[in-house]
Amino acid sequence: EALWDAARAGARLLTHLRALPGITFSDAAEGFARYTDPDGGLWAIDQEYRHYVCASQAVHVDDVLTDLDRHVENAYRDDYLRPLSRTWDDALPSSSGRIDSFHRLLVAGTHRRTVVIISDALRYEAGVELADHLRSLGRGAVAVNPWYTMLPSITALGMAALLPHRELTLGVRGKDQVVVETDGQSSAGIDARRTILEGADGRAFTYEELKQDTIKVMRSKFKGASAVYIYHDVIDATGDHAASESGTPDAVNRAIDELSGLVGKLISADIT
């Protein structure tokens, strides 16, 4: 069964890549739209590649997939990643635009408790799969809305940008430690983010702090907060280390399962 799953996944990816008309776009906005298009967007190639890797890793028969592995890796790299990278690098310097405040637009002033779940390294294609899974479970109305990140697209800046703030300050400590402050406050680590959110009537938790809670306990932890941020780290914790990075596709599946379960508990805890 695992072997057939891998064969099907590899065939889907190779067929998709061979039918690809080329990767060209005039500017970053066009590239962004082409990647995130719900029908035929480039994100589907990344998802198909992940599905192939996950399926092929489950095949425990030596050498049976050697040729297919080589074809998949070469095609994914040469027909997709390299041309996409070149085109994106050419388009990015000419891009311009204002990054709207995530907190101001989606969290503040909604008059209802909002929960923001931040799952580190959850790629767009995995987000699409999570949305499909939530729909299949009947977890309310689900929409996928892509947003631009800030540049440089590093964790320290991306995490800070999601917090309430008027101004972000970017600096470097030592040789390469990036330090991001929101209105003069450090945004590094869960404790600093808790302090920032508490100043805006919010709370912050890690997924680990909530995963064993009953619905009643979860309600009590959220009481009085207009916004709750939950930090989830399964994919990045696996993929960011050489010793464990091969387990990243399985970590994505685990993340989707954990986030689906968390959303279900949040709905039961009267989060609208």
Side-chain angles (χ1 to χ4, degrees), residues 99-108 116-120 147-150 154-165 168 180 182 187 193 196-197 200 227-231:
I99 304 297
D100 289 316
S101 167
F102 172 88
H103 184 271
R104 179 175 59 81
L105 290 178
L106 296 184
V107 182
V116 179
I117 305 170
I118 302 167
S119 188
D120 204 354
W147 276 49
Y148 286 100
T149 187
M150 301 184 77
I154 55 176
T155 299
L157 185 56
M159 289 289 191
L162 298 175
L163 296 167
H165 66 272
L168 294 178
V180 183
T182 64
S187 61
R193 293 168 196 162
I196 294 168
L197 284 164
V228 176
Y229 279 48
I230 302 173
Y231 292 92

Side-chain angles (χ1 to χ4, degrees), residues 150-152 154-161 163-173 177-188 196:
M150 301 184 77
L151 295 176
I154 55 176
T155 299
L157 185 56
M159 289 289 191
L163 296 167
H165 66 272
R166 292 182 299 276
E167 182 180 53
L168 294 178
T169 305
L170 182 67
V172 179
R173 180 182 301 152
Q177 183 185 0
V178 177
V179 179
V180 183
E181 293 184 344
T182 64
D183 303 326
Q185 291 181 277
S186 171
S187 61
I196 294 168

Side-chain angles (χ1 to χ4, degrees), residues 15-222:
T15 301
H16 193 162
L17 288 171
R18 285 170 184 161
L20 199 63
I23 301 177
T24 58
F25 38 85
S26 58
D27 55 28
E30 183 184 345
F32 184 84
R34 184 166 180 198
Y35 188 89
T36 60
D37 185 346
D39 299 315
L42 294 173
W43 61 267
I45 295 174
D46 287 320
Q47 187 180 88
E48 288 164 355
Y49 175 74
R50 173 172 58 84
H51 287 170
Y52 173 75
V53 173
C54 193
S56 64
Q57 287 178 343
V59 176
H60 303 295
V61 181
D62 291 342
D63 301 330
V64 70
L65 290 176
T66 299
D67 288 341
L68 184 56
D69 278 340
R70 185 177 68 254
H71 283 300
V72 165
E73 293 295 338
N74 290 343
Y76 183 66
R77 180 191 63 225
D78 297 337
D79 299 337
Y80 173 67
L81 287 182
R82 284 178 173 169
L84 177 62
S85 179
R86 286 193 297 266
T87 306
W88 185 253
D89 284 348
D90 290 341
L92 199 58
S94 62
S95 67
S96 62
R98 178 172 57 88
I99 304 297
D100 289 316
S101 167
F102 172 88
H103 184 271
R104 179 175 59 81
L105 290 178
L106 296 184
V107 182
T110 60
H111 305 296
R112 59 184 182 181
R113 183 171 296 137
T114 302
V115 172
V116 179
I117 305 170
I118 302 167
S119 188
D120 204 354
L122 185 86
R123 297 196 305 187
Y124 183 79
E125 56 86 6
V128 172
E129 189 165 312
L130 171 61
D132 289 340
H133 188 57
L134 290 172
R135 290 188 192 100
S136 72
L137 297 174
R139 298 295 194 221
V142 182
V144 178
N145 297 304
W147 276 49
Y148 286 100
T149 187
M150 301 184 77
L151 295 176
S153 55
I154 55 176
T155 299
L157 185 56
M159 289 289 191
L162 298 175
L163 296 167
H165 66 272
R166 292 182 299 276
E167 182 180 53
L168 294 178
T169 305
L170 182 67
V172 179
R173 180 182 301 152
K175 288 186 177 180
D176 58 4
Q177 183 185 0
V178 177
V179 179
V180 183
E181 293 184 344
T182 64
D183 303 326
Q185 291 181 277
S186 171
S187 61
I190 185 69
D191 291 334
R193 293 168 196 162
R194 281 194 177 109
T195 300
I196 294 168
L197 284 164
E198 285 168 1
D201 197 25
R203 307 260 173 81
F205 300 93
T206 66
Y207 172 79
E208 298 298 319
E209 291 172 330
L210 298 174
K211 69 177 183 178
Q212 300 297 337
D213 286 351
T214 64
I215 303 301
K216 183 178 180 180
V217 170
M218 191 175 282
R219 282 198 191 105
S220 67
K221 286 184 176 180
F222 295 173

